[in-house]
């Protein structure tokens, strides 16, 4: 099978899946026209889509997306994690770039519909999942800088393998103190393509220097820690856990919100507040920097073993994963797969 082709054989039969290279047999689609608004959701065969070369998205980048997963538990049932929250964030992202917001109920209907159609592709491996990628873009053929009049909304599905195929391992992240991804008043709180385009050069540079991802700092002073490429940041300092506030320049991660709830439930003191690089350095010097980890849909929890600074690496816990990151990882994965209690109603079963 071609690496990027779709297939009628359930992906569960194949290994290794990796991330985002294989797609299932169907997609969901709805189109928006000015008079009618968003039209009905259709489930169609997966395949290339027709796009006019003048389609506004190709020129001015009006495009937003979401990323969530459907998990198959040991009980064989398929569950979504916080689907309604993803639907709400999608509508907010649409508004940030003048795309007519999709009703969250329609988002949920489209995701449920296409996953139900391709339910055989939800992998059974304990740590694999079906990655769900809803996205919307300006499809109108018009070369002019203004919000487009026509849009398309699609949902595609990609079975993905275990993120930690080689064990729960720490990543090395480079603290970026020159390039800017998001600035106050900009698009940082939205999942819009522009933010990811703005991140690529610094991410490539970090890779060349031997790091896995970038940790963004504030646009004005490059002093305050914001978020990692596709993860929110948590730092365990002494007896509390600190995370930078979600807002204009930091995405309100759904894993972040879940981790905050789990930490509070455990009685851990948590602070959502500005956190400077100096504070982390000083804590490392005093021996009170206990753990650093990232949170996001792809990896759930990602321990950080080193922060790359201009004058060398600040090594965290001798480059080893910490116990809090591991406990949170296990707890969240168990909730996502229906193997731990979910008093918050985060998961919902998709009846087959
Ligand atoms: N920040 C950015 C920039 C991201 O792309 C993501 C991934 N969606 C996150 C944080 C984590 O968000 P979530 O926990 O909702 O996946």
């Amino acid at each position: 099978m071609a690496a990027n082709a779709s297939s009628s054989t359930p992906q569960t039969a194949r290994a290794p899946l990796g991330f985002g290279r294989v797609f299932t047999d169907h997609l969901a689609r709805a189109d928006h026209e000015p008079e009618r608004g968003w039209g009905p959701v259709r489930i169609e065969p997966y395949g290339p889509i027709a796009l006019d070369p003048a389609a506004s998205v190709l020129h001015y980048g009006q495009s937003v997306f979401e990323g969530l997963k459907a998990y198959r538990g040991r009980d064989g049932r398929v569950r979504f994690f916080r689907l309604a929250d993803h639907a709400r964030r999608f509508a907010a992202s649409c508004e940030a770039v003048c795309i007519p917001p999709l009703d969250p109920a329609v988002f949920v209907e489209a995701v449920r519909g296409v996953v139900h159609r391709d339910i055989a592709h939800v992998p059974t491996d304990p740590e694999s999942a079906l990655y769900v990628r809803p996205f919307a873009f300006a499809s109108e053929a018009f070369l002019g800088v203004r919000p487009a009049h026509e849009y398309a909304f699609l949902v595609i599905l990609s079975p993905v393998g275990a993120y930690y195929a080689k064990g729960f391992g720490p990543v090395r992240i480079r603290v970026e103190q020159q390039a800017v991804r998001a600035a106050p008043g900009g698009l940082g709180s939205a999942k819009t393509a522009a933010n990811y385009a703005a991140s690529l050069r610094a991410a490539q540079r970090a890779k060349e220097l031997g790091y896995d991802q970038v940790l963004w700092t504030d646009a004005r002073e490059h002093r305050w820690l914001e978020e990692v490429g596709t993860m929110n940041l948590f730092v365990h300092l002494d007896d509390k856990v600190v995370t930078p506030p979600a807002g204009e320049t930091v995405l309100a991660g759904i894993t972040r919100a879940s981790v905050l709830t789990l930490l509070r439930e455990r009685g851990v003191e948590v602070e959502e507040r500005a956190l400077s690089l100096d504070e982390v350095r000083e804590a490392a010097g005093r021996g009170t920097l206990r753990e650093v980890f990232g949170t996001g849909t792809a990896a759930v929890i990602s321990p950080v073993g080193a922060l790359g600074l201009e004058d060398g690496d600040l090594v965290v816990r001798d480059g080893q994963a910490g116990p809090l990151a591991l406990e949170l990882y296990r707890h969240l994965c168990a909730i996502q797969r229906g193997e731990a209690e979910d008093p918050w109603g985060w998961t919902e079963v998709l009846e087959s």
Side-chain angles (χ1 to χ4, degrees):
M1 182 188 67
N4 61 352
S6 71
S7 161
S8 57
T9 309
Q11 304 299 334
T12 46
R14 273 189 216 99
L17 286 168
F19 185 89
R21 291 197 179 274
V22 289
F23 301 95
T24 66
D25 296 338
H26 295 87
L27 52 76
R29 177 165 184 155
D31 291 281
H32 183 280
E33 286 165 21
E35 316 285 85
R36 186 196 58 183
W38 286 106
V41 173
R42 296 137 19 218
I43 307 292
E44 298 177 352
Y46 184 95
I49 53 173
L51 201 58
D52 194 291
S56 183
V57 65
L58 301 177
H59 305 273
Y60 310 115
Q62 236 188 320
S63 167
V64 295
F65 68 97
E66 263 305 318
L68 64 141
K69 284 177 175 170
Y71 306 85
R72 196 183 288 279
R74 271 193 290 233
D75 59 2
R77 302 173 96 188
V78 171
R79 291 173 178 80
F80 292 111
F81 185 68
R82 305 193 72 167
L83 179 56
D85 293 315
H86 284 280
R88 278 192 287 272
R89 189 170 69 183
F90 189 72
S93 295
C94 286
E95 284 182 293
V97 292
C98 298
I99 295 177
L102 190 79
D103 180 345
V106 176
F107 178 103
V108 167
E109 176 202 335
V111 170
R112 279 199 196 127
V114 69
V115 175
H116 188 263
R117 185 73 177 74
D118 281 349
I119 201 159
H121 291 264
V122 185
T124 46
D125 266 13
E127 292 186 42
S128 58
L130 185 71
Y131 184 76
V132 180
R133 167 52 61 88
F135 59 107
F137 59 88
S139 53
E140 185 192 5
F142 173 70
L143 295 183
V145 184
R146 59 142 169 80
H149 294 154
E150 292 162 22
Y151 298 89
F153 164 67
L154 281 85
V155 185
I156 58 172
L157 309 173
S158 175
V160 295
Y163 195 89
Y164 291 109
K166 295 191 210 117
F168 187 67
V171 291
R172 291 163 46 76
I173 55 177
R174 176 160 193 258
V175 181
E176 178 58 56
Q177 293 189 274
Q178 279 171 6
V180 172
R181 184 200 82 120
L187 294 172
S189 64
K191 273 187 86 67
T192 178
N195 287 335
Y196 298 85
S199 75
L200 295 178
R201 207 151 65 151
Q204 189 181 38
R205 177 109 181 96
K207 286 247 155 68
E208 284 164 7
L209 294 170
Y211 297 95
D212 300 294
Q213 287 206 37
V214 166
L215 169 53
W216 297 99
T217 53
D218 72 291
R220 281 201 191 101
E221 299 178 275
H222 293 295
R223 256 185 80 197
W224 304 95
L225 304 178
E226 296 206 320
E227 64 181 332
V228 187
T230 56
M231 295 190 291
N232 292 106
L233 179 76
F234 284 78
V235 179
H236 192 182
L237 287 169
D238 215 348
D239 56 355
K240 54 184 180 267
V241 174
V242 183
T243 188
E248 283 194 317
T249 55
V250 175
L251 188 78
I254 287 163
T255 322
R256 174 186 182 278
S258 312
V259 162
L260 284 171
T261 300
L262 293 185
L263 287 170
R264 289 186 173 120
E265 192 207 37
R266 281 159 186 257
V268 177
E269 196 186 326
V270 288
E271 292 179 355
E272 294 181 71
R273 63 159 170 87
L275 173 66
S276 70
L277 181 54
D278 288 342
E279 185 179 347
V280 174
R281 270 184 200 265
E282 280 161 24
R286 277 199 311 274
T288 54
L289 176 62
R290 294 173 62 181
E291 285 186 48
V292 180
F293 56 90
T295 64
T297 296
V300 186
I301 307 285
S302 206
V304 174
L307 295 173
L309 306 175
E310 271 154 21
D311 54 359
D313 279 0
L314 191 163
V315 176
V316 187
R317 288 193 78 85
D318 289 333
Q320 305 300 311
L324 186 60
L326 184 60
E327 276 172 39
L328 289 166
Y329 174 72
R330 290 200 174 127
H331 193 175
L332 259 183
C333 289
I335 295 172
Q336 288 166 340
R337 287 165 201 276
E339 288 151 18
E341 259 184 64
D342 172 19
W344 308 279
W346 287 340
T347 55
E348 60 173 83
V349 172
L350 181 68
E351 298 301 345
S352 48

